[in-house]
Amino acid sequence: MSQKQMKEAFVSNHNGTSVLEITEGLCLPALCILCRGLLIIASQHLCCSSHTWRTRFFIDFAFLIVPLVTTLTIFASFVLLEYLIVIIFGAGLLYETYCRRTCYARMPVGKILEKFLKISIESEYIPAISCFRVINSAFTAVAILAVDFPLFPRRFAKTELYGTGAMDFGVGGFIFGTAMVCPEVRRKYTKGSRLYLTKSLYSVWPLVFLGVGRLVIIKSIGYQEHITEYGVHWNFFFTLIVVKLITSLLLIIFPLNKSWIVAISITVFYQLALDFTPLRRLILYGSDGSGTRVGLLNANREGIISTLGYVAIHMAGVQTGSYVLKKRSHIKDWIKVACCILLTAIGFFISLYIVQVNVEVASRRMANLAFCIWIVASCLILLSSLLLGDIILNFAKFLIKGATVPCSWKIIQSPAANRKYSESLVSEAERKEPTLCLITAMNRNQLIFFLLSNVTTGLVNLLVDTLHSSTLWALFVLNLYMFTNCLVIYVLHLQDRTVKFW
């Protein structure tokens, strides 16, 4: 076998792992982000000095990126131990913050909580959504290179026919995250107007360029491909284009608050078509039943037909975004939102179990009903974890006068009777968004980070024999790869540059 064939075989024919294991790994970054915020608060209170950009970058990298790398590699079988370490560390920081509080120092904890529930926060910006998008981007960036090394567990690789692999979450999570902040949800322009349709069509041209560019480069250099992922010519960017165009038309016809009905209708009818028509056979085995790749549809059948499932995931993301981005100011309202999303996620996981037992097991290749339910459930539980984490972080900020954390809600009103004290909670530093933040940097230039990750992944594969790399060498390469990508994006952010093509 050639090197290309060996690498293709190495990432093919896998059956995935349990939904529980993927969920455990997915929610760990939410705890890490909480610990990162608590550490920043503690260091501000104890050191009374602001961090340099280098210090803040290393803190963010250590708490966001390093745990993702280790969870997907050497600690893949010890996720619960990682949870225990992170929870103990976070609980210790929170207890230390409570003991050293500068606000309500003589008040019992019950009264403090009662006052905390009455505070108002700046809710124009939802940090949990930014963190969601960044976690998905970082997770994808680590996985697309780590999968080529032996230390990456094969059960996390993309599944061949049925099952749930950790890498199967990437595309669905990206589409869901994008849908939550799409122009329709943010009411960027008037629905049904000519400008709306023109903007939607114009916004896909960079994706056309990227999709065609990736296709030409991959074919010209003979880079390894997993054909059954999308097909011979199809790729992720083409899926994004079709999803964007279809959902733009659907959102002209249907109101935002009915997006969940559209999502359910698409998945149900699509599953019925899989069950009662030759559609499933076409996706899995081609029009002749022997896996033919002759003709445009046969060559790209997985990518073309699975877009129906991704359209449904996008519409579910639109529904979630329109609910989360509603104007709310009180912390108690956001607690209700987080709990509601968490309960909805649990309901989806129960539905997933029922569907997989009685209908069909999840299949990334088809993006069937079970796959769509799994993606939405995983997205919702991650989002609820991030919301609850930010609420806890704001409680810590509530206890320390003048505490600030990048990419976190800002307290804008206190229930204290003393107006002067109430105003003091909003320090001068907090009125201006802190810029030293890797999360904000990655969210700001998410597409550039994704493209950079793909380019550097290709370079590493061309320069390094990944199949025969030792564990220590693979860890070094993965961390250096992520460090380089993150540093480039961080420097762009420090220079106040947002790279957009449209």
Side-chain angles (χ1 to χ4, degrees), residues 424-449:
S424 71
L425 281 175
V426 188
S427 64
E428 189 63 33
E430 198 169 11
R431 286 192 179 98
K432 185 177 180 181
E433 178 72 20
T435 58
L436 305 180
C437 179
L438 179 59
I439 297 173
T440 305
M442 291 174 65
N443 186 61
R444 180 177 185 174
N445 283 300
Q446 190 175 25
L447 182 58
I448 295 301
F449 178 78

PDB file of all heavy atoms in Angstrom, residues 424-449:
ATOM      1  N   SER A 424     -20.440  51.420  41.830  1.00  0.00           N
ATOM      2  CA  SER A 424     -19.049  50.992  41.934  1.00  0.00           C
ATOM      3  C   SER A 424     -18.821  49.588  41.389  1.00  0.00           C
ATOM      4  O   SER A 424     -17.698  49.213  41.091  1.00  0.00           O
ATOM      5  CB  SER A 424     -18.589  51.050  43.401  1.00  0.00           C
ATOM      6  OG  SER A 424     -19.206  50.018  44.161  1.00  0.00           O
ATOM      7  N   LEU A 425     -19.914  48.804  41.301  1.00  0.00           N
ATOM      8  CA  LEU A 425     -19.767  47.455  40.755  1.00  0.00           C
ATOM      9  C   LEU A 425     -19.319  47.493  39.301  1.00  0.00           C
ATOM     10  O   LEU A 425     -18.647  46.591  38.820  1.00  0.00           O
ATOM     11  CB  LEU A 425     -21.085  46.688  40.862  1.00  0.00           C
ATOM     12  CG  LEU A 425     -21.425  46.111  42.227  1.00  0.00           C
ATOM     13  CD1 LEU A 425     -22.816  45.494  42.196  1.00  0.00           C
ATOM     14  CD2 LEU A 425     -20.400  45.087  42.667  1.00  0.00           C
ATOM     15  N   VAL A 426     -19.707  48.542  38.599  1.00  0.00           N
ATOM     16  CA  VAL A 426     -19.303  48.674  37.197  1.00  0.00           C
ATOM     17  C   VAL A 426     -18.050  49.543  37.152  1.00  0.00           C
ATOM     18  O   VAL A 426     -18.126  50.755  37.063  1.00  0.00           O
ATOM     19  CB  VAL A 426     -20.438  49.300  36.347  1.00  0.00           C
ATOM     20  CG1 VAL A 426     -20.085  49.239  34.872  1.00  0.00           C
ATOM     21  CG2 VAL A 426     -21.752  48.612  36.621  1.00  0.00           C
ATOM     22  N   SER A 427     -16.918  48.919  37.242  1.00  0.00           N
ATOM     23  CA  SER A 427     -15.652  49.644  37.265  1.00  0.00           C
ATOM     24  C   SER A 427     -15.332  50.179  35.875  1.00  0.00           C
ATOM     25  O   SER A 427     -15.923  49.786  34.880  1.00  0.00           O
ATOM     26  CB  SER A 427     -14.526  48.725  37.742  1.00  0.00           C
ATOM     27  OG  SER A 427     -14.358  47.683  36.805  1.00  0.00           O
ATOM     28  N   GLU A 428     -14.365  51.075  35.834  1.00  0.00           N
ATOM     29  CA  GLU A 428     -13.943  51.637  34.554  1.00  0.00           C
ATOM     30  C   GLU A 428     -13.403  50.544  33.639  1.00  0.00           C
ATOM     31  O   GLU A 428     -13.621  50.553  32.432  1.00  0.00           O
ATOM     32  CB  GLU A 428     -12.871  52.699  34.797  1.00  0.00           C
ATOM     33  CG  GLU A 428     -12.524  53.501  33.565  1.00  0.00           C
ATOM     34  CD  GLU A 428     -13.701  54.313  33.045  1.00  0.00           C
ATOM     35  OE1 GLU A 428     -14.530  54.763  33.866  1.00  0.00           O
ATOM     36  OE2 GLU A 428     -13.805  54.475  31.814  1.00  0.00           O
ATOM     37  N   ALA A 429     -12.707  49.572  34.238  1.00  0.00           N
ATOM     38  CA  ALA A 429     -12.157  48.471  33.444  1.00  0.00           C
ATOM     39  C   ALA A 429     -13.251  47.629  32.835  1.00  0.00           C
ATOM     40  O   ALA A 429     -13.120  47.081  31.749  1.00  0.00           O
ATOM     41  CB  ALA A 429     -11.249  47.607  34.314  1.00  0.00           C
ATOM     42  N   GLU A 430     -14.371  47.514  33.555  1.00  0.00           N
ATOM     43  CA  GLU A 430     -15.442  46.650  33.075  1.00  0.00           C
ATOM     44  C   GLU A 430     -16.315  47.323  32.035  1.00  0.00           C
ATOM     45  O   GLU A 430     -17.020  46.669  31.282  1.00  0.00           O
ATOM     46  CB  GLU A 430     -16.291  46.187  34.264  1.00  0.00           C
ATOM     47  CG  GLU A 430     -17.139  44.977  33.955  1.00  0.00           C
ATOM     48  CD  GLU A 430     -17.761  44.379  35.188  1.00  0.00           C
ATOM     49  OE1 GLU A 430     -17.712  45.001  36.243  1.00  0.00           O
ATOM     50  OE2 GLU A 430     -18.324  43.282  35.074  1.00  0.00           O
ATOM     51  N   ARG A 431     -16.282  48.664  32.004  1.00  0.00           N
ATOM     52  CA  ARG A 431     -17.074  49.368  31.002  1.00  0.00           C
ATOM     53  C   ARG A 431     -16.511  49.151  29.603  1.00  0.00           C
ATOM     54  O   ARG A 431     -17.213  49.245  28.611  1.00  0.00           O
ATOM     55  CB  ARG A 431     -17.103  50.870  31.327  1.00  0.00           C
ATOM     56  CG  ARG A 431     -17.994  51.202  32.513  1.00  0.00           C
ATOM     57  CD  ARG A 431     -18.225  52.703  32.604  1.00  0.00           C
ATOM     58  NE  ARG A 431     -19.098  53.014  33.713  1.00  0.00           N
ATOM     59  CZ  ARG A 431     -18.686  53.416  34.902  1.00  0.00           C
ATOM     60  NH1 ARG A 431     -17.397  53.540  35.143  1.00  0.00           N
ATOM     61  NH2 ARG A 431     -19.539  53.683  35.847  1.00  0.00           N
ATOM     62  N   LYS A 432     -15.233  48.839  29.549  1.00  0.00           N
ATOM     63  CA  LYS A 432     -14.579  48.571  28.270  1.00  0.00           C
ATOM     64  C   LYS A 432     -14.252  47.094  28.178  1.00  0.00           C
ATOM     65  O   LYS A 432     -13.626  46.542  29.057  1.00  0.00           O
ATOM     66  CB  LYS A 432     -13.300  49.398  28.162  1.00  0.00           C
ATOM     67  CG  LYS A 432     -12.640  49.265  26.794  1.00  0.00           C
ATOM     68  CD  LYS A 432     -11.426  50.154  26.717  1.00  0.00           C
ATOM     69  CE  LYS A 432     -10.758  50.028  25.352  1.00  0.00           C
ATOM     70  NZ  LYS A 432      -9.553  50.867  25.245  1.00  0.00           N
ATOM     71  N   GLU A 433     -14.692  46.475  27.129  1.00  0.00           N
ATOM     72  CA  GLU A 433     -14.477  45.032  26.954  1.00  0.00           C
ATOM     73  C   GLU A 433     -12.988  44.715  26.958  1.00  0.00           C
ATOM     74  O   GLU A 433     -12.223  45.265  26.161  1.00  0.00           O
ATOM     75  CB  GLU A 433     -15.094  44.571  25.641  1.00  0.00           C
ATOM     76  CG  GLU A 433     -14.878  43.107  25.336  1.00  0.00           C
ATOM     77  CD  GLU A 433     -15.705  42.186  26.223  1.00  0.00           C
ATOM     78  OE1 GLU A 433     -16.692  42.656  26.801  1.00  0.00           O
ATOM     79  OE2 GLU A 433     -15.347  41.002  26.329  1.00  0.00           O
ATOM     80  N   PRO A 434     -12.534  43.835  27.849  1.00  0.00           N
ATOM     81  CA  PRO A 434     -11.118  43.458  27.840  1.00  0.00           C
ATOM     82  C   PRO A 434     -10.754  42.803  26.508  1.00  0.00           C
ATOM     83  O   PRO A 434     -11.507  42.009  25.966  1.00  0.00           O
ATOM     84  CB  PRO A 434     -11.016  42.453  29.002  1.00  0.00           C
ATOM     85  CG  PRO A 434     -12.210  42.720  29.860  1.00  0.00           C
ATOM     86  CD  PRO A 434     -13.280  43.187  28.931  1.00  0.00           C
ATOM     87  N   THR A 435      -9.592  43.140  25.991  1.00  0.00           N
ATOM     88  CA  THR A 435      -9.187  42.634  24.681  1.00  0.00           C
ATOM     89  C   THR A 435      -8.272  41.418  24.780  1.00  0.00           C
ATOM     90  O   THR A 435      -8.063  40.736  23.791  1.00  0.00           O
ATOM     91  CB  THR A 435      -8.465  43.734  23.884  1.00  0.00           C
ATOM     92  OG1 THR A 435      -7.329  44.187  24.634  1.00  0.00           O
ATOM     93  CG2 THR A 435      -9.398  44.902  23.620  1.00  0.00           C
ATOM     94  N   LEU A 436      -7.710  41.162  25.949  1.00  0.00           N
ATOM     95  CA  LEU A 436      -6.757  40.061  26.086  1.00  0.00           C
ATOM     96  C   LEU A 436      -7.504  38.756  26.307  1.00  0.00           C
ATOM     97  O   LEU A 436      -7.620  38.257  27.424  1.00  0.00           O
ATOM     98  CB  LEU A 436      -5.794  40.340  27.255  1.00  0.00           C
ATOM     99  CG  LEU A 436      -5.045  41.674  27.180  1.00  0.00           C
ATOM    100  CD1 LEU A 436      -4.138  41.837  28.383  1.00  0.00           C
ATOM    101  CD2 LEU A 436      -4.241  41.771  25.897  1.00  0.00           C
ATOM    102  N   CYS A 437      -8.013  38.209  25.226  1.00  0.00           N
ATOM    103  CA  CYS A 437      -8.878  37.027  25.351  1.00  0.00           C
ATOM    104  C   CYS A 437      -8.788  36.168  24.095  1.00  0.00           C
ATOM    105  O   CYS A 437      -9.146  36.612  23.004  1.00  0.00           O
ATOM    106  CB  CYS A 437     -10.320  37.462  25.591  1.00  0.00           C
ATOM    107  SG  CYS A 437     -11.479  36.108  25.735  1.00  0.00           S
ATOM    108  N   LEU A 438      -8.313  34.936  24.251  1.00  0.00           N
ATOM    109  CA  LEU A 438      -8.201  34.012  23.122  1.00  0.00           C
ATOM    110  C   LEU A 438      -9.577  33.618  22.591  1.00  0.00           C
ATOM    111  O   LEU A 438      -9.764  33.440  21.384  1.00  0.00           O
ATOM    112  CB  LEU A 438      -7.417  32.772  23.548  1.00  0.00           C
ATOM    113  CG  LEU A 438      -7.214  31.687  22.490  1.00  0.00           C
ATOM    114  CD1 LEU A 438      -6.480  32.242  21.279  1.00  0.00           C
ATOM    115  CD2 LEU A 438      -6.459  30.495  23.073  1.00  0.00           C
ATOM    116  N   ILE A 439     -10.560  33.481  23.485  1.00  0.00           N
ATOM    117  CA  ILE A 439     -11.913  33.102  23.071  1.00  0.00           C
ATOM    118  C   ILE A 439     -12.494  34.163  22.146  1.00  0.00           C
ATOM    119  O   ILE A 439     -13.036  33.865  21.077  1.00  0.00           O
ATOM    120  CB  ILE A 439     -12.819  32.884  24.294  1.00  0.00           C
ATOM    121  CG1 ILE A 439     -12.305  31.718  25.144  1.00  0.00           C
ATOM    122  CG2 ILE A 439     -14.258  32.623  23.861  1.00  0.00           C
ATOM    123  CD1 ILE A 439     -13.036  31.533  26.454  1.00  0.00           C
ATOM    124  N   THR A 440     -12.374  35.422  22.540  1.00  0.00           N
ATOM    125  CA  THR A 440     -12.867  36.515  21.711  1.00  0.00           C
ATOM    126  C   THR A 440     -12.129  36.568  20.378  1.00  0.00           C
ATOM    127  O   THR A 440     -12.730  36.808  19.328  1.00  0.00           O
ATOM    128  CB  THR A 440     -12.705  37.858  22.447  1.00  0.00           C
ATOM    129  OG1 THR A 440     -13.352  37.780  23.720  1.00  0.00           O
ATOM    130  CG2 THR A 440     -13.306  39.001  21.654  1.00  0.00           C
ATOM    131  N   ALA A 441     -10.822  36.318  20.414  1.00  0.00           N
ATOM    132  CA  ALA A 441     -10.018  36.348  19.192  1.00  0.00           C
ATOM    133  C   ALA A 441     -10.458  35.264  18.212  1.00  0.00           C
ATOM    134  O   ALA A 441     -10.626  35.522  17.012  1.00  0.00           O
ATOM    135  CB  ALA A 441      -8.549  36.172  19.552  1.00  0.00           C
ATOM    136  N   MET A 442     -10.656  34.042  18.701  1.00  0.00           N
ATOM    137  CA  MET A 442     -11.067  32.938  17.832  1.00  0.00           C
ATOM    138  C   MET A 442     -12.482  33.142  17.312  1.00  0.00           C
ATOM    139  O   MET A 442     -12.780  32.820  16.158  1.00  0.00           O
ATOM    140  CB  MET A 442     -10.955  31.614  18.589  1.00  0.00           C
ATOM    141  CG  MET A 442      -9.519  31.202  18.871  1.00  0.00           C
ATOM    142  SD  MET A 442      -9.390  29.738  19.925  1.00  0.00           S
ATOM    143  CE  MET A 442     -10.115  28.489  18.855  1.00  0.00           C
ATOM    144  N   ASN A 443     -13.359  33.669  18.130  1.00  0.00           N
ATOM    145  CA  ASN A 443     -14.728  33.916  17.688  1.00  0.00           C
ATOM    146  C   ASN A 443     -14.776  35.016  16.638  1.00  0.00           C
ATOM    147  O   ASN A 443     -15.588  34.976  15.714  1.00  0.00           O
ATOM    148  CB  ASN A 443     -15.594  34.307  18.886  1.00  0.00           C
ATOM    149  CG  ASN A 443     -17.057  34.448  18.530  1.00  0.00           C
ATOM    150  OD1 ASN A 443     -17.709  33.511  18.085  1.00  0.00           O
ATOM    151  ND2 ASN A 443     -17.599  35.650  18.714  1.00  0.00           N
ATOM    152  N   ARG A 444     -13.881  35.964  16.768  1.00  0.00           N
ATOM    153  CA  ARG A 444     -13.846  37.113  15.847  1.00  0.00           C
ATOM    154  C   ARG A 444     -13.417  36.695  14.451  1.00  0.00           C
ATOM    155  O   ARG A 444     -13.932  37.211  13.445  1.00  0.00           O
ATOM    156  CB  ARG A 444     -12.890  38.165  16.409  1.00  0.00           C
ATOM    157  CG  ARG A 444     -12.759  39.412  15.574  1.00  0.00           C
ATOM    158  CD  ARG A 444     -11.860  40.405  16.272  1.00  0.00           C
ATOM    159  NE  ARG A 444     -11.795  41.667  15.563  1.00  0.00           N
ATOM    160  CZ  ARG A 444     -11.171  42.749  16.024  1.00  0.00           C
ATOM    161  NH1 ARG A 444     -10.576  42.711  17.204  1.00  0.00           N
ATOM    162  NH2 ARG A 444     -11.159  43.858  15.318  1.00  0.00           N
ATOM    163  N   ASN A 445     -12.439  35.794  14.353  1.00  0.00           N
ATOM    164  CA  ASN A 445     -11.931  35.341  13.057  1.00  0.00           C
ATOM    165  C   ASN A 445     -12.050  33.818  12.944  1.00  0.00           C
ATOM    166  O   ASN A 445     -11.070  33.121  12.677  1.00  0.00           O
ATOM    167  CB  ASN A 445     -10.468  35.771  12.887  1.00  0.00           C
ATOM    168  CG  ASN A 445     -10.321  37.240  12.545  1.00  0.00           C
ATOM    169  OD1 ASN A 445     -10.821  37.704  11.524  1.00  0.00           O
ATOM    170  ND2 ASN A 445      -9.648  37.988  13.409  1.00  0.00           N
ATOM    171  N   GLN A 446     -13.264  33.330  13.137  1.00  0.00           N
ATOM    172  CA  GLN A 446     -13.491  31.887  13.182  1.00  0.00           C
ATOM    173  C   GLN A 446     -13.174  31.209  11.847  1.00  0.00           C
ATOM    174  O   GLN A 446     -12.552  30.145  11.821  1.00  0.00           O
ATOM    175  CB  GLN A 446     -14.932  31.592  13.592  1.00  0.00           C
ATOM    176  CG  GLN A 446     -15.187  30.132  13.900  1.00  0.00           C
ATOM    177  CD  GLN A 446     -16.598  29.897  14.415  1.00  0.00           C
ATOM    178  OE1 GLN A 446     -17.513  30.664  14.132  1.00  0.00           O
ATOM    179  NE2 GLN A 446     -16.791  28.836  15.167  1.00  0.00           N
ATOM    180  N   LEU A 447     -13.575  31.812  10.741  1.00  0.00           N
ATOM    181  CA  LEU A 447     -13.321  31.205   9.435  1.00  0.00           C
ATOM    182  C   LEU A 447     -11.818  31.161   9.141  1.00  0.00           C
ATOM    183  O   LEU A 447     -11.308  30.162   8.616  1.00  0.00           O
ATOM    184  CB  LEU A 447     -14.058  31.979   8.338  1.00  0.00           C
ATOM    185  CG  LEU A 447     -13.912  31.421   6.919  1.00  0.00           C
ATOM    186  CD1 LEU A 447     -14.395  29.974   6.845  1.00  0.00           C
ATOM    187  CD2 LEU A 447     -14.658  32.282   5.912  1.00  0.00           C
ATOM    188  N   ILE A 448     -11.106  32.229   9.486  1.00  0.00           N
ATOM    189  CA  ILE A 448      -9.655  32.251   9.270  1.00  0.00           C
ATOM    190  C   ILE A 448      -8.980  31.186  10.123  1.00  0.00           C
ATOM    191  O   ILE A 448      -8.044  30.500   9.659  1.00  0.00           O
ATOM    192  CB  ILE A 448      -9.087  33.650   9.603  1.00  0.00           C
ATOM    193  CG1 ILE A 448      -9.649  34.688   8.635  1.00  0.00           C
ATOM    194  CG2 ILE A 448      -7.570  33.645   9.533  1.00  0.00           C
ATOM    195  CD1 ILE A 448      -9.354  34.412   7.180  1.00  0.00           C
ATOM    196  N   PHE A 449      -9.439  31.015  11.354  1.00  0.00           N
ATOM    197  CA  PHE A 449      -8.874  29.974  12.218  1.00  0.00           C
ATOM    198  C   PHE A 449      -9.103  28.591  11.613  1.00  0.00           C
ATOM    199  O   PHE A 449      -8.199  27.747  11.610  1.00  0.00           O
ATOM    200  CB  PHE A 449      -9.510  30.045  13.609  1.00  0.00           C
ATOM    201  CG  PHE A 449      -9.029  28.980  14.548  1.00  0.00           C
ATOM    202  CD1 PHE A 449      -7.801  29.086  15.182  1.00  0.00           C
ATOM    203  CD2 PHE A 449      -9.806  27.855  14.806  1.00  0.00           C
ATOM    204  CE1 PHE A 449      -7.346  28.101  16.042  1.00  0.00           C
ATOM    205  CE2 PHE A 449      -9.360  26.857  15.664  1.00  0.00           C
ATOM    206  CZ  PHE A 449      -8.124  26.991  16.289  1.00  0.00           C
TER     207      PHE A 449
END
